[in-house]
């Protein structure tokens, strides 16, 4: 990952643990929903917005715990 890409994420890496979800847009949304149903995340607001990943056709979000 480049520094330029990391600057797009609105989180501090030193503060909390993170779970990065990378996949197709549908996979990312499905995993976010699954994490909420299984109570790994209390709320979808715990995820960063879905953004394009630096891989062809992939998207990503980060769960801040």
């Amino acid at each position: 990952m480049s520094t330029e890409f990391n600057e797009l994420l609105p989180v501090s890496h030193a503060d909390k643990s993170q779970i990065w979800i990378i996949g197709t847009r549908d996979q990312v949304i499905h995993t976010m929903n699954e994490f909420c149903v299984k109570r790994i995340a209390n709320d979808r607001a715990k995820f960063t917005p879905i953004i394009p990943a630096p891989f062809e056709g992939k998207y990503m979000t980060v769960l801040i715990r």
Side-chain angles (χ1 to χ4, degrees):
M1 294 270 184
S2 67
T3 304
E4 175 183 306
F5 185 73
N6 288 335
E7 289 172 359
L8 295 174
L9 297 173
V11 295
S12 170
H13 298 288
D15 292 345
K16 301 175 184 177
S17 63
Q18 302 173 358
I19 299 173
W20 290 51
I21 302 169
I22 301 173
T24 65
R25 187 170 184 81
D26 289 339
Q27 289 170 332
V28 170
I29 292 170
H30 176 76
T31 304
M32 289 170 67
N33 291 336
E34 187 176 8
F35 278 20
C36 290
V37 168
K38 291 182 177 180
R39 301 197 186 269
I40 296 170
N42 312 3
D43 187 0
R44 285 187 60 137
K46 300 283 186 185
F47 293 93
T48 61
I50 298 174
I51 58 173
F55 313 109
E56 184 71 29
K58 300 292 182 179
Y59 292 85
M60 67 178 287
T61 187
V62 179
L63 170 61
I64 309 301
R65 299 203 66 197

